[in-house]
Amino acid sequence: MLKKIVFTTSLVFFWVLSATALDLNQAKQIAIKNNQDLMSESYSLQSSRYDYYGSLFDLLPSGNLTGSYQKYNPDQSFSAGQTSDYLKTYGFSISMPIFIGGKSWLGSRIKKDTYQLAKHSYTNKYFEVCLNTETKYYKVLETAELLKIAQLDLKSGIEQDNKAKIHFNNATISSADYLKIQAETARKKVRLFQSKTAYELSMADLQNYLMIDQIDTLESIKETDYQIWLNMFSDITTEQINDYQKKINQYIKDHNITLKISEISSKISEKSVTMAMGNFLPSVNLSFTSNNSQTELSDSFSNQETLLLSASVPIFPVADNYMGYLKSKAGLRKSMAQKKSIENNIDLASKSAFLNLISSSQSVQQAQLSMQYSEESYKQMEVRFQNGMLSVNDMIDADIMLTSAKNQYISNVYSLLKAKTGLLQLLNSENDEQLIKILKEK
């Protein structure tokens, strides 16, 4: 349908595209490679992984080998008045904590949860970088389109100014009307400067985010990037909206990383409470030691082995342990409250993002019709103005209306794309097909 509409400003990027034009996927790959926050999350993930693996070894028995050689001067006296000038010893010991209030096991589980948090945090940052790149990429294309409109508008204004000058010289328009047209041309020059500034700032923002020095050209969006949403939501009913919203909410509930992070944080708090309770329980340790010694009085090493089972019960400081328990309990309540708050906020955000997507798609359709009507009206009024049948004020109003309709259409198209990006961020996806699949599932 859009291809059949003729208008001066299309969604084709006004630069001449070349084979080296940067497309959206390439921009995302550059951002992923260069983003320092994502790199920091990667290092945090590695650190957390090694920390977790290290905690697993804490659950195993620990062993030590010992050995010594002692030289005496004067000789050391041993049994029955006999002396030796040296003592050789070697041995080994193994210790195994049987129970220490569950701290070793719970500590390992907490570090495993922390490792899961680091993985989710990295994934979350990955999607954030991709979708931020997408938003900034769209912003550059939008400001470029608005700049093109301002360029064409100024060109048209200069042509109108030249025609008005002829009419003024022929005394067919007044000096006041001629000044109005000149003022309108000056206003268009200002708007062109503002549009150029907005474009340069958006391009600088994208370059800075990608951490590259220069971007020559960007690949323009395609009609298929937004046409599917226009078709899907053109005649949507309230019943369909509710059905789509349920599907989106369920998917977010199952896959949203922020929710998963809050769930894991609550589990860590629960384990911390259990660990704090373990401070009141006894500790039991088992150890085995084997020592071998030899002096010059014997031809071989003598052996002595010890098996020790020890237990200890914490008596003091009881108050400190109890305060630690209360602190962990308060931390658990805090994490549960935060989890509930996050669930409510994400539920509201998903509804808002989806309704924004529907509203934006319908706004594009309305803006498209408005632009079509404005173009047709402008053409007719331009003919009437050339024939002296239309006032300068009416011609200026028609020109402003057409420019406004073009700007509104471009802004609505990119608002639609940004609304889609916002919803994808809640879904933790960078793939349009994933959202389409969710909506079309029965």
Side-chain angles (χ1 to χ4, degrees):
M1 179 172 64
L2 289 177
K3 292 181 178 178
K4 297 180 181 178
I5 298 176
V6 179
F7 52 92
T8 55
T9 303
S10 68
L11 286 176
V12 178
F13 196 50
F14 69 92
W15 281 341
V16 178
L17 295 177
S18 67
T20 59
L22 181 69
D23 63 28
L24 182 55
N25 287 331
Q26 291 171 338
K28 289 180 180 179
Q29 293 304 313
I30 293 173
I32 291 170
K33 179 181 178 181
N34 295 340
N35 188 271
Q36 296 300 305
D37 291 335
L38 185 61
M39 191 177 299
S40 176
E41 290 290 345
S42 175
Y43 293 140
S44 295
L45 176 59
Q46 293 179 33
S47 176
S48 181
R49 180 171 62 248
Y50 297 141
D51 194 31
Y52 164 58
Y53 290 159
S55 70
L56 296 177
F57 291 100
D58 292 338
L59 302 175
L60 302 176
S62 60
N64 294 285
L65 291 174
T66 60
S68 67
Y69 177 82
Q70 300 180 51
K71 182 68 174 176
Y72 302 120
N73 186 19
D75 294 351
Q76 183 72 28
S77 177
F78 287 89
S79 61
Q82 295 178 319
T83 61
S84 174
D85 65 349
Y86 70 88
L87 173 65
K88 297 178 182 179
T89 64
Y90 75 89
F92 67 92
S93 63
I94 299 176
S95 61
M96 175 66 182
I98 296 178
F99 182 77
I100 52 174
K103 294 180 181 179
S104 296
W105 173 252
L106 288 172
S108 175
R109 296 303 89 190
I110 287 176
K111 289 184 177 181
K112 180 180 180 181
D113 289 338
T114 304
Y115 176 39
Q116 294 298 320
L117 279 179
K119 289 198 292 186
H120 287 315
S121 181
Y122 175 81
T123 304
N124 200 37
K125 179 60 68 173
Y126 171 87
F127 285 121
E128 180 184 321
V129 169
C130 289
L131 296 174
N132 280 347
T133 302
E134 188 169 311
T135 299
K136 295 177 185 296
Y137 188 96
Y138 287 151
K139 186 63 177 178
V140 174
L141 293 181
E142 179 184 3
T143 54
E145 294 289 351
L146 295 177
L147 174 58
K148 179 62 176 178
I149 291 174
Q151 289 173 331
L152 296 176
D153 192 33
L154 177 58
K155 180 180 179 181
S156 174
I158 293 174
E159 292 175 355
Q160 292 291 347
D161 193 299
N162 293 332
K163 293 176 182 178
K165 183 177 182 180
I166 295 174
H167 284 289
F168 174 70
N169 292 334
N170 294 333
T172 55
I173 63 172
S174 66
S175 175
D177 288 338
Y178 182 43
L179 287 175
K180 289 178 182 178
I181 293 178
Q182 287 182 314
E184 181 63 17
T185 302
R187 185 183 66 82
K188 292 180 178 182
K189 290 180 180 179
V190 173
R191 190 168 67 235
L192 175 60
F193 175 78
Q194 293 172 337
S195 299
K196 183 179 180 181
T197 301
Y199 166 72
E200 290 175 348
L201 288 175
S202 63
M203 178 62 83
D205 185 37
L206 178 61
Q207 290 177 178
N208 180 66
Y209 194 74
L210 299 182
M211 298 185 68
I212 55 179
D213 295 331
Q214 183 177 355
I215 299 176
D216 294 327
T217 60
L218 293 182
E219 186 175 296
S220 63
I221 62 171
K222 302 179 180 62
E223 183 180 333
T224 53
D225 292 335
Y226 60 89
Q227 186 62 49
I228 186 170
W229 310 116
L230 303 185
N231 297 336
M232 185 175 294
F233 302 135
S234 60
D235 298 315
I236 192 170
T237 64
T238 302
E239 183 179 354
Q240 288 175 316
I241 291 176
N242 293 334
D243 181 57
Y244 287 156
Q245 188 69 67
K246 289 179 181 178
K247 294 177 181 178
I248 290 174
N249 287 347
Q250 186 60 48
Y251 185 89
I252 289 176
K253 183 178 179 181
D254 296 336
H255 297 86
N256 184 267
I257 294 177
T258 303
L259 286 177
K260 291 183 180 296
I261 289 175
S262 67
E263 291 174 359
I264 295 176
S265 297
S266 296
K267 291 179 180 179
I268 290 177
S269 296
E270 291 175 356
K271 292 182 177 70
S272 296
V273 172
T274 305
M275 184 181 292
M277 293 174 62
N279 291 329
F280 299 98
L281 300 177
S283 298
V284 180
N285 293 276
L286 178 66
S287 62
F288 174 78
T289 304
S290 176
N291 288 315
N292 298 273
S293 60
Q294 181 189 29
T295 66
E296 64 177 334
L297 302 177
S298 60
D299 296 331
S300 62
F301 284 87
S302 61
N303 176 257
Q304 182 179 7
E305 296 180 347
T306 304
L307 180 64
L308 175 64
L309 179 65
S310 62
S312 62
V313 179
I315 299 178
F316 299 106
V318 175
D320 287 356
N321 290 338
Y322 184 65
M323 291 299 106
Y325 168 73
L326 294 179
K327 178 181 178 181
S328 61
K329 196 74 173 178
L332 174 59
R333 295 192 186 101
K334 177 182 177 181
S335 65
M336 295 300 292
Q338 289 176 335
K339 177 183 175 183
K340 186 63 178 177
S341 177
I342 290 172
E343 289 174 350
N344 292 337
N345 290 337
I346 289 182
D347 182 62
L348 178 61
S350 68
K351 292 178 181 178
S352 177
F354 181 61
L355 292 177
N356 188 28
L357 179 61
I358 295 174
S359 175
S360 298
S361 66
Q362 294 177 344
S363 295
V364 169
Q365 294 172 319
Q366 297 302 319
Q368 177 182 309
L369 292 174
S370 175
M371 183 177 62
Q372 184 181 9
Y373 297 149
S374 296
E375 284 185 332
E376 185 61 33
S377 175
Y378 180 82
K379 291 177 182 178
Q380 295 177 7
M381 297 181 79
E382 187 176 34
V383 173
R384 293 176 61 191
F385 178 72
Q386 297 301 326
N387 294 328
M389 301 171 60
L390 191 70
S391 68
V392 170
N393 287 338
D394 289 339
M395 191 65 232
I396 291 176
D397 290 342
D399 183 64
I400 292 175
M401 182 181 297
L402 176 59
T403 302
S404 176
K406 292 177 180 179
N407 287 334
Q408 190 64 43
Y409 176 69
I410 293 299
S411 297
N412 285 343
V413 167
Y414 285 98
S415 292
L416 169 61
L417 294 173
K418 292 172 187 176
K420 179 261 301 180
T421 301
L423 185 54
L424 287 178
Q425 191 154 8
L426 290 172
L427 298 174
N428 290 121
S429 173
E430 56 173 324
N431 193 340
D432 292 11
E433 285 72 20
Q434 181 63 52
L435 176 56
I436 296 171
K437 180 181 178 181
I438 295 171
L439 296 177
K440 289 186 176 181
E441 283 181 347
K442 295 183 179 180

